[in-house]
Amino acid sequence: MPTPVAPPEAARSALSRRRSNLSLRGVALGVGLVAALFLLRATSPSVEIDAALQDVVTLAISVIIESLPFVFLGVAISAAVQTWVPTSVILRILPRHGAPRR
């Protein structure tokens, strides 16, 4: 069975850019949603929201706020690994077959 070959540097770079664009879109969407909820509540405090909807909004915002430190920590660790750990070391540590790598 042939050994898998690492993709060329250009393809790897394009894949990395595509993933970072998707990641940035997701972050922007999440931040925009939270900002819209805060803005809605701040500009119209007299509008009554159903208790169940208020609970959903409160829980969603609390989960987002509680998870942010872990997201930032993951981003920092990922950036450090991508910056200072050579690709050859990462390829040597990861399994050789495609399925376990995912």
Side-chain angles (χ1 to χ4, degrees):
M1 185 157 150
T3 328
V5 179
E9 195 61 40
R12 192 175 314 154
S13 176
L15 181 62
S16 176
R17 277 194 307 272
R18 192 174 321 131
R19 284 183 182 164
S20 70
N21 287 340
L22 289 175
S23 167
L24 287 176
R25 286 183 198 147
V27 169
L29 179 65
V31 168
L33 181 63
V34 170
L37 290 173
F38 278 128
L39 185 63
L40 176 69
R41 190 67 180 154
T43 58
S44 58
S46 63
V47 173
E48 291 297 321
I49 298 177
D50 185 36
L53 181 60
Q54 181 64 39
D55 289 344
V56 168
V57 170
T58 302
L59 287 173
I61 291 173
S62 68
V63 166
I64 290 170
I65 290 173
E66 287 178 8
S67 67
L68 282 178
F70 298 103
V71 171
F72 292 143
L73 181 64
V75 167
I77 291 172
S78 174
V81 167
Q82 191 172 12
T83 302
W84 289 304
V85 177
T87 307
S88 61
V89 172
I90 294 173
L91 290 175
R92 189 173 49 233
I93 292 172
L94 289 175
R96 294 204 186 276
H97 300 289
R101 282 187 151 180
R102 302 203 190 319

